PDB file of all heavy atoms in Angstrom:
ATOM      1  N   ALA A   1     -41.649 -34.365  36.834  1.00 85.00           N
ATOM      2  CA  ALA A   1     -41.077 -34.842  35.570  1.00 85.00           C
ATOM      3  C   ALA A   1     -41.916 -35.986  34.965  1.00 85.00           C
ATOM      4  O   ALA A   1     -42.190 -36.025  33.773  1.00 85.00           O
ATOM      5  CB  ALA A   1     -39.644 -35.299  35.775  1.00 85.00           C
ATOM      6  N   ALA A   2     -42.352 -36.893  35.851  1.00 86.00           N
ATOM      7  CA  ALA A   2     -43.158 -38.021  35.377  1.00 86.00           C
ATOM      8  C   ALA A   2     -44.493 -37.561  34.837  1.00 86.00           C
ATOM      9  O   ALA A   2     -44.943 -38.028  33.761  1.00 86.00           O
ATOM     10  CB  ALA A   2     -43.388 -39.030  36.501  1.00 86.00           C
ATOM     11  N   LYS A   3     -45.156 -36.621  35.509  1.00 82.00           N
ATOM     12  CA  LYS A   3     -46.409 -36.117  35.032  1.00 82.00           C
ATOM     13  C   LYS A   3     -46.309 -35.351  33.727  1.00 82.00           C
ATOM     14  O   LYS A   3     -47.230 -35.354  32.905  1.00 82.00           O
ATOM     15  CB  LYS A   3     -47.070 -35.219  36.093  1.00 82.00           C
ATOM     16  CG  LYS A   3     -47.622 -35.971  37.296  1.00 82.00           C
ATOM     17  CD  LYS A   3     -48.334 -35.028  38.245  1.00 82.00           C
ATOM     18  CE  LYS A   3     -48.968 -35.811  39.414  1.00 82.00           C
ATOM     19  NZ  LYS A   3     -49.693 -34.886  40.338  1.00 82.00           N
ATOM     20  N   ALA A   4     -45.192 -34.685  33.554  1.00 81.00           N
ATOM     21  CA  ALA A   4     -44.950 -33.915  32.310  1.00 81.00           C
ATOM     22  C   ALA A   4     -44.374 -34.778  31.170  1.00 81.00           C
ATOM     23  O   ALA A   4     -44.169 -34.263  30.064  1.00 81.00           O
ATOM     24  CB  ALA A   4     -44.059 -32.741  32.590  1.00 81.00           C
ATOM     25  N   GLY A   5     -44.103 -36.032  31.473  1.00 84.00           N
ATOM     26  CA  GLY A   5     -43.527 -36.937  30.467  1.00 84.00           C
ATOM     27  C   GLY A   5     -42.123 -36.551  30.092  1.00 84.00           C
ATOM     28  O   GLY A   5     -41.673 -36.803  28.964  1.00 84.00           O
ATOM     29  N   MET A   6     -41.368 -35.988  31.022  1.00 83.00           N
ATOM     30  CA  MET A   6     -39.994 -35.579  30.782  1.00 83.00           C
ATOM     31  C   MET A   6     -39.041 -36.436  31.595  1.00 83.00           C
ATOM     32  O   MET A   6     -39.395 -36.980  32.646  1.00 83.00           O
ATOM     33  CB  MET A   6     -39.808 -34.099  31.130  1.00 83.00           C
ATOM     34  CG  MET A   6     -40.617 -33.167  30.278  1.00 83.00           C
ATOM     35  SD  MET A   6     -40.393 -31.432  30.754  1.00 83.00           S
ATOM     36  CE  MET A   6     -41.445 -30.621  29.558  1.00 83.00           C
ATOM     37  N   GLU A   7     -37.836 -36.555  31.129  1.00 81.00           N
ATOM     38  CA  GLU A   7     -36.841 -37.347  31.813  1.00 81.00           C
ATOM     39  C   GLU A   7     -36.014 -36.489  32.749  1.00 81.00           C
ATOM     40  O   GLU A   7     -35.542 -35.409  32.370  1.00 81.00           O
ATOM     41  CB  GLU A   7     -35.888 -38.029  30.819  1.00 81.00           C
ATOM     42  CG  GLU A   7     -34.867 -38.929  31.488  1.00 81.00           C
ATOM     43  CD  GLU A   7     -33.919 -39.535  30.477  1.00 81.00           C
ATOM     44  OE1 GLU A   7     -34.061 -39.267  29.259  1.00 81.00           O
ATOM     45  OE2 GLU A   7     -33.012 -40.293  30.887  1.00 81.00           O
ATOM     46  N   LEU A   8     -35.885 -36.923  33.988  1.00 83.00           N
ATOM     47  CA  LEU A   8     -35.038 -36.201  34.949  1.00 83.00           C
ATOM     48  C   LEU A   8     -33.673 -36.853  34.931  1.00 83.00           C
ATOM     49  O   LEU A   8     -33.487 -37.977  35.380  1.00 83.00           O
ATOM     50  CB  LEU A   8     -35.648 -36.324  36.364  1.00 83.00           C
ATOM     51  CG  LEU A   8     -34.884 -35.585  37.462  1.00 83.00           C
ATOM     52  CD1 LEU A   8     -34.786 -34.096  37.207  1.00 83.00           C
ATOM     53  CD2 LEU A   8     -35.560 -35.834  38.812  1.00 83.00           C
ATOM     54  N   ALA A   9     -32.702 -36.135  34.357  1.00 85.00           N
ATOM     55  CA  ALA A   9     -31.332 -36.635  34.269  1.00 85.00           C
ATOM     56  C   ALA A   9     -30.377 -35.632  34.902  1.00 85.00           C
ATOM     57  O   ALA A   9     -29.762 -34.788  34.227  1.00 85.00           O
ATOM     58  CB  ALA A   9     -30.965 -36.855  32.790  1.00 85.00           C
ATOM     59  N   PRO A  10     -30.255 -35.666  36.219  1.00 90.00           N
ATOM     60  CA  PRO A  10     -29.451 -34.678  36.930  1.00 90.00           C
ATOM     61  C   PRO A  10     -27.963 -34.827  36.637  1.00 90.00           C
ATOM     62  O   PRO A  10     -27.467 -35.903  36.452  1.00 90.00           O
ATOM     63  CB  PRO A  10     -29.751 -34.957  38.404  1.00 90.00           C
ATOM     64  CG  PRO A  10     -30.171 -36.384  38.450  1.00 90.00           C
ATOM     65  CD  PRO A  10     -30.890 -36.636  37.147  1.00 90.00           C
ATOM     66  N   VAL A  11     -27.307 -33.670  36.602  1.00 93.00           N
ATOM     67  CA  VAL A  11     -25.852 -33.684  36.439  1.00 93.00           C
ATOM     68  C   VAL A  11     -25.146 -33.693  37.827  1.00 93.00           C
ATOM     69  O   VAL A  11     -23.953 -33.968  37.898  1.00 93.00           O
ATOM     70  CB  VAL A  11     -25.359 -32.459  35.619  1.00 93.00           C
ATOM     71  CG1 VAL A  11     -25.923 -32.507  34.222  1.00 93.00           C
ATOM     72  CG2 VAL A  11     -25.736 -31.150  36.302  1.00 93.00           C
ATOM     73  N   LEU A  12     -25.914 -33.323  38.837  1.00 94.00           N
ATOM     74  CA  LEU A  12     -25.350 -33.334  40.212  1.00 94.00           C
ATOM     75  C   LEU A  12     -26.435 -33.741  41.161  1.00 94.00           C
ATOM     76  O   LEU A  12     -27.526 -33.180  41.153  1.00 94.00           O
ATOM     77  CB  LEU A  12     -24.789 -31.959  40.587  1.00 94.00           C
ATOM     78  CG  LEU A  12     -24.323 -31.822  42.044  1.00 94.00           C
ATOM     79  CD1 LEU A  12     -23.079 -32.679  42.275  1.00 94.00           C
ATOM     80  CD2 LEU A  12     -24.022 -30.350  42.379  1.00 94.00           C
ATOM     81  N   THR A  13     -26.119 -34.704  42.043  1.00 93.00           N
ATOM     82  CA  THR A  13     -27.000 -35.123  43.098  1.00 93.00           C
ATOM     83  C   THR A  13     -26.228 -35.029  44.410  1.00 93.00           C
ATOM     84  O   THR A  13     -25.106 -35.515  44.521  1.00 93.00           O
ATOM     85  CB  THR A  13     -27.488 -36.563  42.937  1.00 93.00           C
ATOM     86  OG1 THR A  13     -28.204 -36.665  41.671  1.00 93.00           O
ATOM     87  CG2 THR A  13     -28.456 -36.965  44.052  1.00 93.00           C
ATOM     88  N   THR A  14     -26.832 -34.391  45.433  1.00 92.00           N
ATOM     89  CA  THR A  14     -26.091 -34.207  46.680  1.00 92.00           C
ATOM     90  C   THR A  14     -27.088 -34.066  47.811  1.00 92.00           C
ATOM     91  O   THR A  14     -28.256 -33.696  47.626  1.00 92.00           O
ATOM     92  CB  THR A  14     -25.200 -32.951  46.626  1.00 92.00           C
ATOM     93  OG1 THR A  14     -24.550 -32.755  47.886  1.00 92.00           O
ATOM     94  CG2 THR A  14     -26.000 -31.704  46.279  1.00 92.00           C
ATOM     95  N   ASN A  15     -26.620 -34.348  49.040  1.00 89.00           N
ATOM     96  CA  ASN A  15     -27.454 -34.109  50.205  1.00 89.00           C
ATOM     97  C   ASN A  15     -27.233 -32.742  50.831  1.00 89.00           C
ATOM     98  O   ASN A  15     -27.794 -32.404  51.880  1.00 89.00           O
ATOM     99  CB  ASN A  15     -27.231 -35.197  51.277  1.00 89.00           C
ATOM    100  CG  ASN A  15     -25.831 -35.117  51.855  1.00 89.00           C
ATOM    101  OD1 ASN A  15     -24.944 -34.406  51.357  1.00 89.00           O
ATOM    102  ND2 ASN A  15     -25.594 -35.848  52.933  1.00 89.00           N
ATOM    103  N   SER A  16     -26.408 -31.910  50.158  1.00 90.00           N
ATOM    104  CA  SER A  16     -26.125 -30.560  50.640  1.00 90.00           C
ATOM    105  C   SER A  16     -26.945 -29.529  49.856  1.00 90.00           C
ATOM    106  O   SER A  16     -26.606 -29.280  48.679  1.00 90.00           O
ATOM    107  CB  SER A  16     -24.634 -30.268  50.560  1.00 90.00           C
ATOM    108  OG  SER A  16     -24.402 -28.897  50.851  1.00 90.00           O
ATOM    109  N   LEU A  17     -27.945 -28.929  50.475  1.00 87.00           N
ATOM    110  CA  LEU A  17     -28.703 -27.894  49.787  1.00 87.00           C
ATOM    111  C   LEU A  17     -27.854 -26.656  49.566  1.00 87.00           C
ATOM    112  O   LEU A  17     -28.023 -25.939  48.562  1.00 87.00           O
ATOM    113  CB  LEU A  17     -29.950 -27.560  50.600  1.00 87.00           C
ATOM    114  CG  LEU A  17     -30.979 -28.684  50.818  1.00 87.00           C
ATOM    115  CD1 LEU A  17     -32.157 -28.207  51.599  1.00 87.00           C
ATOM    116  CD2 LEU A  17     -31.433 -29.233  49.452  1.00 87.00           C
ATOM    117  N   GLU A  18     -26.957 -26.390  50.486  1.00 89.00           N
ATOM    118  CA  GLU A  18     -26.081 -25.245  50.319  1.00 89.00           C
ATOM    119  C   GLU A  18     -25.174 -25.411  49.087  1.00 89.00           C
ATOM    120  O   GLU A  18     -24.948 -24.469  48.317  1.00 89.00           O
ATOM    121  CB  GLU A  18     -25.211 -25.043  51.567  1.00 89.00           C
ATOM    122  CG  GLU A  18     -24.232 -23.882  51.500  1.00 89.00           C
ATOM    123  CD  GLU A  18     -24.903 -22.552  51.211  1.00 89.00           C
ATOM    124  OE1 GLU A  18     -26.074 -22.366  51.638  1.00 89.00           O
ATOM    125  OE2 GLU A  18     -24.262 -21.693  50.581  1.00 89.00           O
ATOM    126  N   LEU A  19     -24.678 -26.627  48.860  1.00 93.00           N
ATOM    127  CA  LEU A  19     -23.855 -26.890  47.667  1.00 93.00           C
ATOM    128  C   LEU A  19     -24.685 -26.668  46.403  1.00 93.00           C
ATOM    129  O   LEU A  19     -24.197 -26.084  45.434  1.00 93.00           O
ATOM    130  CB  LEU A  19     -23.300 -28.288  47.714  1.00 93.00           C
ATOM    131  CG  LEU A  19     -22.494 -28.719  46.457  1.00 93.00           C
ATOM    132  CD1 LEU A  19     -21.284 -27.816  46.266  1.00 93.00           C
ATOM    133  CD2 LEU A  19     -22.069 -30.169  46.544  1.00 93.00           C
ATOM    134  N   LEU A  20     -25.949 -27.146  46.390  1.00 91.00           N
ATOM    135  CA  LEU A  20     -26.783 -26.903  45.232  1.00 91.00           C
ATOM    136  C   LEU A  20     -26.932 -25.418  44.931  1.00 91.00           C
ATOM    137  O   LEU A  20     -26.846 -25.003  43.762  1.00 91.00           O
ATOM    138  CB  LEU A  20     -28.184 -27.512  45.448  1.00 91.00           C
ATOM    139  CG  LEU A  20     -28.294 -29.048  45.463  1.00 91.00           C
ATOM    140  CD1 LEU A  20     -29.705 -29.474  45.714  1.00 91.00           C
ATOM    141  CD2 LEU A  20     -27.787 -29.608  44.133  1.00 91.00           C
ATOM    142  N   HIS A  21     -27.155 -24.619  45.983  1.00 90.00           N
ATOM    143  CA  HIS A  21     -27.309 -23.194  45.774  1.00 90.00           C
ATOM    144  C   HIS A  21     -26.009 -22.606  45.182  1.00 90.00           C
ATOM    145  O   HIS A  21     -26.072 -21.767  44.261  1.00 90.00           O
ATOM    146  CB  HIS A  21     -27.614 -22.512  47.102  1.00 90.00           C
ATOM    147  CG  HIS A  21     -28.968 -22.843  47.621  1.00 90.00           C
ATOM    148  ND1 HIS A  21     -29.566 -22.174  48.682  1.00 90.00           N
ATOM    149  CD2 HIS A  21     -29.886 -23.774  47.255  1.00 90.00           C
ATOM    150  CE1 HIS A  21     -30.750 -22.669  48.928  1.00 90.00           C
ATOM    151  NE2 HIS A  21     -30.956 -23.652  48.072  1.00 90.00           N
ATOM    152  N   GLN A  22     -24.895 -23.057  45.710  1.00 92.00           N
ATOM    153  CA  GLN A  22     -23.626 -22.533  45.222  1.00 92.00           C
ATOM    154  C   GLN A  22     -23.386 -22.905  43.757  1.00 92.00           C
ATOM    155  O   GLN A  22     -22.884 -22.086  42.952  1.00 92.00           O
ATOM    156  CB  GLN A  22     -22.459 -23.075  46.089  1.00 92.00           C
ATOM    157  CG  GLN A  22     -22.473 -22.598  47.525  1.00 92.00           C
ATOM    158  CD  GLN A  22     -21.982 -21.150  47.638  1.00 92.00           C
ATOM    159  OE1 GLN A  22     -21.615 -20.510  46.679  1.00 92.00           O
ATOM    160  NE2 GLN A  22     -22.029 -20.632  48.864  1.00 92.00           N
ATOM    161  N   MET A  23     -23.758 -24.128  43.385  1.00 93.00           N
ATOM    162  CA  MET A  23     -23.516 -24.557  41.971  1.00 93.00           C
ATOM    163  C   MET A  23     -24.456 -23.829  41.017  1.00 93.00           C
ATOM    164  O   MET A  23     -24.067 -23.551  39.867  1.00 93.00           O
ATOM    165  CB  MET A  23     -23.678 -26.069  41.894  1.00 93.00           C
ATOM    166  CG  MET A  23     -22.718 -26.862  42.771  1.00 93.00           C
ATOM    167  SD  MET A  23     -20.962 -26.333  42.559  1.00 93.00           S
ATOM    168  CE  MET A  23     -20.618 -26.907  40.876  1.00 93.00           C
ATOM    169  N   VAL A  24     -25.688 -23.577  41.460  1.00 92.00           N
ATOM    170  CA  VAL A  24     -26.542 -22.746  40.611  1.00 92.00           C
ATOM    171  C   VAL A  24     -25.970 -21.340  40.459  1.00 92.00           C
ATOM    172  O   VAL A  24     -25.990 -20.766  39.360  1.00 92.00           O
ATOM    173  CB  VAL A  24     -27.998 -22.684  41.203  1.00 92.00           C
ATOM    174  CG1 VAL A  24     -28.862 -21.712  40.391  1.00 92.00           C
ATOM    175  CG2 VAL A  24     -28.634 -24.058  41.191  1.00 92.00           C
ATOM    176  N   ARG A  25     -25.458 -20.811  41.531  1.00 90.00           N
ATOM    177  CA  ARG A  25     -24.866 -19.467  41.506  1.00 90.00           C
ATOM    178  C   ARG A  25     -23.658 -19.454  40.541  1.00 90.00           C
ATOM    179  O   ARG A  25     -23.403 -18.410  39.876  1.00 90.00           O
ATOM    180  CB  ARG A  25     -24.396 -19.079  42.908  1.00 90.00           C
ATOM    181  CG  ARG A  25     -23.892 -17.648  43.036  1.00 90.00           C
ATOM    182  CD  ARG A  25     -23.537 -17.296  44.462  1.00 90.00           C
ATOM    183  NE  ARG A  25     -24.727 -17.098  45.277  1.00 90.00           N
ATOM    184  CZ  ARG A  25     -25.115 -17.876  46.274  1.00 90.00           C
ATOM    185  NH1 ARG A  25     -24.343 -18.919  46.616  1.00 90.00           N
ATOM    186  NH2 ARG A  25     -26.212 -17.642  46.943  1.00 90.00           N
ATOM    187  N   GLU A  26     -22.953 -20.574  40.427  1.00 91.00           N
ATOM    188  CA  GLU A  26     -21.801 -20.657  39.525  1.00 91.00           C
ATOM    189  C   GLU A  26     -22.263 -20.872  38.062  1.00 91.00           C
ATOM    190  O   GLU A  26     -21.399 -21.041  37.185  1.00 91.00           O
ATOM    191  CB  GLU A  26     -20.874 -21.781  39.975  1.00 91.00           C
ATOM    192  CG  GLU A  26     -20.202 -21.548  41.302  1.00 91.00           C
ATOM    193  CD  GLU A  26     -19.282 -20.338  41.263  1.00 91.00           C
ATOM    194  OE1 GLU A  26     -18.643 -20.098  40.193  1.00 91.00           O
ATOM    195  OE2 GLU A  26     -19.187 -19.615  42.274  1.00 91.00           O
ATOM    196  N   GLY A  27     -23.564 -20.984  37.815  1.00 89.00           N
ATOM    197  CA  GLY A  27     -24.055 -21.153  36.457  1.00 89.00           C
ATOM    198  C   GLY A  27     -24.004 -22.586  35.936  1.00 89.00           C
ATOM    199  O   GLY A  27     -24.018 -22.818  34.722  1.00 89.00           O
ATOM    200  N   CYS A  28     -24.003 -23.579  36.857  1.00 92.00           N
ATOM    201  CA  CYS A  28     -23.886 -24.949  36.455  1.00 92.00           C
ATOM    202  C   CYS A  28     -25.238 -25.610  36.089  1.00 92.00           C
ATOM    203  O   CYS A  28     -25.272 -26.754  35.664  1.00 92.00           O
ATOM    204  CB  CYS A  28     -23.189 -25.756  37.551  1.00 92.00           C
ATOM    205  SG  CYS A  28     -21.501 -25.272  37.844  1.00 92.00           S
ATOM    206  N   GLY A  29     -26.343 -24.903  36.314  1.00 90.00           N
ATOM    207  CA  GLY A  29     -27.634 -25.483  35.989  1.00 90.00           C
ATOM    208  C   GLY A  29     -28.727 -24.909  36.851  1.00 90.00           C
ATOM    209  O   GLY A  29     -28.550 -23.897  37.546  1.00 90.00           O
ATOM    210  N   HIS A  30     -29.916 -25.553  36.809  1.00 90.00           N
ATOM    211  CA  HIS A  30     -31.059 -25.147  37.597  1.00 90.00           C
ATOM    212  C   HIS A  30     -31.278 -26.122  38.749  1.00 90.00           C
ATOM    213  O   HIS A  30     -30.945 -27.284  38.674  1.00 90.00           O
ATOM    214  CB  HIS A  30     -32.320 -25.196  36.746  1.00 90.00           C
ATOM    215  CG  HIS A  30     -32.370 -24.096  35.691  1.00 90.00           C
ATOM    216  ND1 HIS A  30     -33.294 -24.089  34.674  1.00 90.00           N
ATOM    217  CD2 HIS A  30     -31.604 -22.984  35.528  1.00 90.00           C
ATOM    218  CE1 HIS A  30     -33.080 -23.019  33.928  1.00 90.00           C
ATOM    219  NE2 HIS A  30     -32.072 -22.358  34.417  1.00 90.00           N
ATOM    220  N   GLY A  31     -31.820 -25.570  39.826  1.00 90.00           N
ATOM    221  CA  GLY A  31     -32.161 -26.379  40.971  1.00 90.00           C
ATOM    222  C   GLY A  31     -33.559 -26.043  41.459  1.00 90.00           C
ATOM    223  O   GLY A  31     -34.316 -25.341  40.766  1.00 90.00           O
ATOM    224  N   VAL A  32     -33.922 -26.541  42.610  1.00 89.00           N
ATOM    225  CA  VAL A  32     -35.226 -26.203  43.240  1.00 89.00           C
ATOM    226  C   VAL A  32     -35.034 -25.801  44.687  1.00 89.00           C
ATOM    227  O   VAL A  32     -34.042 -26.189  45.307  1.00 89.00           O
ATOM    228  CB  VAL A  32     -36.216 -27.386  43.134  1.00 89.00           C
ATOM    229  CG1 VAL A  32     -36.713 -27.598  41.729  1.00 89.00           C
ATOM    230  CG2 VAL A  32     -35.633 -28.664  43.721  1.00 89.00           C
ATOM    231  N   ILE A  33     -36.012 -25.078  45.188  1.00 89.00           N
ATOM    232  CA  ILE A  33     -35.929 -24.640  46.549  1.00 89.00           C
ATOM    233  C   ILE A  33     -37.368 -24.654  47.117  1.00 89.00           C
ATOM    234  O   ILE A  33     -38.322 -24.345  46.419  1.00 89.00           O
ATOM    235  CB  ILE A  33     -35.320 -23.215  46.663  1.00 89.00           C
ATOM    236  CG1 ILE A  33     -35.158 -22.794  48.124  1.00 89.00           C
ATOM    237  CG2 ILE A  33     -36.154 -22.194  45.905  1.00 89.00           C
ATOM    238  CD1 ILE A  33     -34.390 -21.475  48.283  1.00 89.00           C
ATOM    239  N   ALA A  34     -37.498 -25.064  48.386  1.00 89.00           N
ATOM    240  CA  ALA A  34     -38.823 -25.039  49.048  1.00 89.00           C
ATOM    241  C   ALA A  34     -38.836 -23.826  49.974  1.00 89.00           C
ATOM    242  O   ALA A  34     -37.944 -23.630  50.795  1.00 89.00           O
ATOM    243  CB  ALA A  34     -39.029 -26.312  49.857  1.00 89.00           C
ATOM    244  N   VAL A  35     -39.892 -22.996  49.857  1.00 89.00           N
ATOM    245  CA  VAL A  35     -39.936 -21.736  50.627  1.00 89.00           C
ATOM    246  C   VAL A  35     -41.324 -21.617  51.255  1.00 89.00           C
ATOM    247  O   VAL A  35     -42.343 -22.065  50.713  1.00 89.00           O
ATOM    248  CB  VAL A  35     -39.650 -20.521  49.761  1.00 89.00           C
ATOM    249  CG1 VAL A  35     -38.296 -20.639  49.082  1.00 89.00           C
ATOM    250  CG2 VAL A  35     -40.736 -20.255  48.729  1.00 89.00           C
ATOM    251  N   CYS A  36     -41.342 -21.008  52.417  1.00 88.00           N
ATOM    252  CA  CYS A  36     -42.603 -20.624  53.084  1.00 88.00           C
ATOM    253  C   CYS A  36     -42.858 -19.177  52.720  1.00 88.00           C
ATOM    254  O   CYS A  36     -42.024 -18.314  53.029  1.00 88.00           O
ATOM    255  CB  CYS A  36     -42.490 -20.789  54.586  1.00 88.00           C
ATOM    256  SG  CYS A  36     -43.941 -20.290  55.473  1.00 88.00           S
ATOM    257  N   PRO A  37     -43.957 -18.892  52.015  1.00 85.00           N
ATOM    258  CA  PRO A  37     -44.173 -17.511  51.538  1.00 85.00           C
ATOM    259  C   PRO A  37     -44.070 -16.451  52.638  1.00 85.00           C
ATOM    260  O   PRO A  37     -43.636 -15.334  52.389  1.00 85.00           O
ATOM    261  CB  PRO A  37     -45.609 -17.573  50.967  1.00 85.00           C
ATOM    262  CG  PRO A  37     -45.753 -19.008  50.562  1.00 85.00           C
ATOM    263  CD  PRO A  37     -45.001 -19.809  51.590  1.00 85.00           C
ATOM    264  N   GLY A  38     -44.431 -16.777  53.859  1.00 82.00           N
ATOM    265  CA  GLY A  38     -44.405 -15.778  54.915  1.00 82.00           C
ATOM    266  C   GLY A  38     -43.073 -15.488  55.510  1.00 82.00           C
ATOM    267  O   GLY A  38     -42.879 -14.530  56.279  1.00 82.00           O
ATOM    268  N   THR A  39     -42.052 -16.302  55.163  1.00 85.00           N
ATOM    269  CA  THR A  39     -40.724 -16.106  55.758  1.00 85.00           C
ATOM    270  C   THR A  39     -39.642 -15.921  54.695  1.00 85.00           C
ATOM    271  O   THR A  39     -38.488 -15.599  55.040  1.00 85.00           O
ATOM    272  CB  THR A  39     -40.337 -17.296  56.646  1.00 85.00           C
ATOM    273  OG1 THR A  39     -40.272 -18.481  55.857  1.00 85.00           O
ATOM    274  CG2 THR A  39     -41.350 -17.495  57.769  1.00 85.00           C
ATOM    275  N   PHE A  40     -39.962 -16.129  53.420  1.00 84.00           N
ATOM    276  CA  PHE A  40     -38.956 -16.116  52.372  1.00 84.00           C
ATOM    277  C   PHE A  40     -38.551 -14.690  52.032  1.00 84.00           C
ATOM    278  O   PHE A  40     -39.398 -13.826  51.763  1.00 84.00           O
ATOM    279  CB  PHE A  40     -39.473 -16.822  51.125  1.00 84.00           C
ATOM    280  CG  PHE A  40     -38.463 -16.959  50.011  1.00 84.00           C
ATOM    281  CD1 PHE A  40     -37.275 -17.622  50.212  1.00 84.00           C
ATOM    282  CD2 PHE A  40     -38.721 -16.401  48.774  1.00 84.00           C
ATOM    283  CE1 PHE A  40     -36.333 -17.724  49.213  1.00 84.00           C
ATOM    284  CE2 PHE A  40     -37.797 -16.525  47.751  1.00 84.00           C
ATOM    285  CZ  PHE A  40     -36.616 -17.190  47.954  1.00 84.00           C
ATOM    286  N   GLU A  41     -37.258 -14.417  52.047  1.00 80.00           N
ATOM    287  CA  GLU A  41     -36.757 -13.060  51.734  1.00 80.00           C
ATOM    288  C   GLU A  41     -35.792 -13.049  50.554  1.00 80.00           C
ATOM    289  O   GLU A  41     -35.058 -12.086  50.378  1.00 80.00           O
ATOM    290  CB  GLU A  41     -36.044 -12.506  52.972  1.00 80.00           C
ATOM    291  CG  GLU A  41     -36.969 -12.256  54.170  1.00 80.00           C
ATOM    292  CD  GLU A  41     -36.298 -11.626  55.340  1.00 80.00           C
ATOM    293  OE1 GLU A  41     -35.030 -11.606  55.364  1.00 80.00           O
ATOM    294  OE2 GLU A  41     -36.974 -11.154  56.262  1.00 80.00           O
ATOM    295  N   GLY A  42     -35.840 -14.076  49.739  1.00 78.00           N
ATOM    296  CA  GLY A  42     -34.979 -14.077  48.577  1.00 78.00           C
ATOM    297  C   GLY A  42     -34.009 -15.260  48.595  1.00 78.00           C
ATOM    298  O   GLY A  42     -33.677 -15.785  49.654  1.00 78.00           O
ATOM    299  N   ALA A  43     -33.573 -15.660  47.420  1.00 78.00           N
ATOM    300  CA  ALA A  43     -32.710 -16.825  47.286  1.00 78.00           C
ATOM    301  C   ALA A  43     -31.252 -16.543  47.638  1.00 78.00           C
ATOM    302  O   ALA A  43     -30.485 -17.458  47.879  1.00 78.00           O
ATOM    303  CB  ALA A  43     -32.811 -17.380  45.886  1.00 78.00           C
ATOM    304  N   GLY A  44     -30.878 -15.285  47.660  1.00 79.00           N
ATOM    305  CA  GLY A  44     -29.467 -14.972  47.945  1.00 79.00           C
ATOM    306  C   GLY A  44     -28.805 -14.269  46.792  1.00 79.00           C
ATOM    307  O   GLY A  44     -29.386 -14.054  45.701  1.00 79.00           O
ATOM    308  N   GLU A  45     -27.582 -13.921  46.981  1.00 81.00           N
ATOM    309  CA  GLU A  45     -26.805 -13.165  45.984  1.00 81.00           C
ATOM    310  C   GLU A  45     -26.704 -13.940  44.673  1.00 81.00           C
ATOM    311  O   GLU A  45     -26.368 -15.104  44.652  1.00 81.00           O
ATOM    312  CB  GLU A  45     -25.419 -12.887  46.554  1.00 81.00           C
ATOM    313  CG  GLU A  45     -24.567 -12.011  45.592  1.00 81.00           C
ATOM    314  CD  GLU A  45     -23.144 -11.817  46.151  1.00 81.00           C
ATOM    315  OE1 GLU A  45     -22.845 -12.387  47.236  1.00 81.00           O
ATOM    316  OE2 GLU A  45     -22.374 -11.131  45.491  1.00 81.00           O
ATOM    317  N   ARG A  46     -27.025 -13.255  43.572  1.00 85.00           N
ATOM    318  CA  ARG A  46     -26.937 -13.748  42.204  1.00 85.00           C
ATOM    319  C   ARG A  46     -27.845 -14.948  41.960  1.00 85.00           C
ATOM    320  O   ARG A  46     -27.607 -15.701  41.040  1.00 85.00           O
ATOM    321  CB  ARG A  46     -25.491 -14.100  41.836  1.00 85.00           C
ATOM    322  CG  ARG A  46     -24.598 -12.885  41.775  1.00 85.00           C
ATOM    323  CD  ARG A  46     -23.196 -13.192  41.272  1.00 85.00           C
ATOM    324  NE  ARG A  46     -22.413 -13.913  42.263  1.00 85.00           N
ATOM    325  CZ  ARG A  46     -21.846 -15.085  42.006  1.00 85.00           C
ATOM    326  NH1 ARG A  46     -21.984 -15.674  40.854  1.00 85.00           N
ATOM    327  NH2 ARG A  46     -21.105 -15.687  42.945  1.00 85.00           N
ATOM    328  N   LEU A  47     -28.865 -15.138  42.780  1.00 88.00           N
ATOM    329  CA  LEU A  47     -29.818 -16.212  42.585  1.00 88.00           C
ATOM    330  C   LEU A  47     -31.252 -15.671  42.569  1.00 88.00           C
ATOM    331  O   LEU A  47     -31.543 -14.645  43.173  1.00 88.00           O
ATOM    332  CB  LEU A  47     -29.725 -17.255  43.732  1.00 88.00           C
ATOM    333  CG  LEU A  47     -28.450 -18.107  43.769  1.00 88.00           C
ATOM    334  CD1 LEU A  47     -28.490 -18.961  45.040  1.00 88.00           C
ATOM    335  CD2 LEU A  47     -28.384 -19.001  42.545  1.00 88.00           C
TER     336      LEU A  47
END
């Protein structure tokens, strides 16, 4: 965000990555995920 000159104003901050996935699935916004290309098999249902 800093390099792109954009403001990061999150609507939800949490230490639960599973909760973030669930809230994106519910259509509450966008999130991020870190994946290893050799082991990643998809983000999950409706994601």
Side-chain angles (χ1 to χ4, degrees):
K3 287 185 175 180
M6 297 179 179
E7 182 182 0
L8 180 62
V11 297
L12 174 67
T13 301
T14 177
N15 67 348
S16 171
L17 298 180
E18 179 57 31
L19 176 61
L20 289 180
H21 292 191
Q22 293 285 358
M23 299 310 292
V24 173
R25 186 177 287 114
E26 294 297 324
C28 296
H30 290 168
V32 287
I33 185 173
V35 304
C36 177
T39 63
F40 184 59
E41 294 183 346
E45 184 183 2
R46 294 187 287 124
L47 289 175

